Amino acid sequence: MDSHGQYEQRVVWAVVGTDIGPLLLAATREGLVNVVFHATDAVRDRALERLASRLGGEPVKEPGSPLLAEAIRQLKAYFAGERQGFELPLDWSLISGFNREVLRELAGGVPYGSVVGYGDLARRVGQPGAAQAVGMAMGANPLPVVVPCHRVVESDGGIGGFGGGVETKRRLLALEGVLPEPLF
């Protein structure tokens, strides 16, 4: 318990090297809670500060934690082309409301190797005309890659934006066979 009699959330984290750069993974007892792109020291430190303020308690570096082991294994298999989906417990506590509803639909309804438009995803959650709000939900996704916001594209065929950068989005879509591999 903290000094106010509240239970602190135990958060463990590790940085994992991938084909798209280092990813910070953080988990609670509930499941994977955060995936952060380009986890350089500065990015990592800001992400850990945000987690501490949002969830309480200081995140602890524990790359061998059982809370992270399966997420690390599945992400490595995904980047090796050996896995097309994730079967992990997820802690949705960093997101709520419309954003959570959209991300849950995305996680369960847009399989590997396919894409969906922002407007189509808005219609799926009963909010036609909320394409921009869907874009905001994608930008707020605390679990990118695992909750595949890279699979959401513009209706006119454009790739759209991406919190990890457009080049990272291209590489993820190429990994899934949606786009050709970059030439260089």
Side-chain angles (χ1 to χ4, degrees), residues 44-80:
R44 180 201 65 214
D45 291 348
R46 281 192 305 274
L48 294 173
E49 286 173 18
R50 279 193 310 273
L51 284 169
S53 71
R54 297 276 311 272
L55 299 175
E58 201 60 39
V60 177
K61 183 177 183 178
E62 257 187 67
S65 170
L67 297 173
L68 291 169
E70 186 61 15
I72 291 169
R73 188 187 73 71
Q74 288 188 29
L75 276 162
K76 286 182 177 182
Y78 170 82
F79 284 107

Side-chain angles (χ1 to χ4, degrees), residues 21-95:
L23 295 177
L24 177 131
L25 305 180
T28 66
R29 287 189 260 294
E30 299 297 318
L32 190 66
V33 71
N34 204 198
V35 176
V36 179
F37 290 112
H38 314 300
T40 61
D41 290 349
V43 169
R44 180 201 65 214
D45 291 348
R46 281 192 305 274
L48 294 173
E49 286 173 18
R50 279 193 310 273
L51 284 169
S53 71
R54 297 276 311 272
L55 299 175
E58 201 60 39
V60 177
K61 183 177 183 178
E62 257 187 67
S65 170
L67 297 173
L68 291 169
E70 186 61 15
I72 291 169
R73 188 187 73 71
Q74 288 188 29
L75 276 162
K76 286 182 177 182
Y78 170 82
F79 284 107
E82 301 165 356
R83 181 172 202 82
Q84 295 187 351
F86 297 95
E87 297 170 12
L88 296 168
L90 301 177
D91 179 339
W92 293 93
S93 63
L94 294 177
I95 197 135

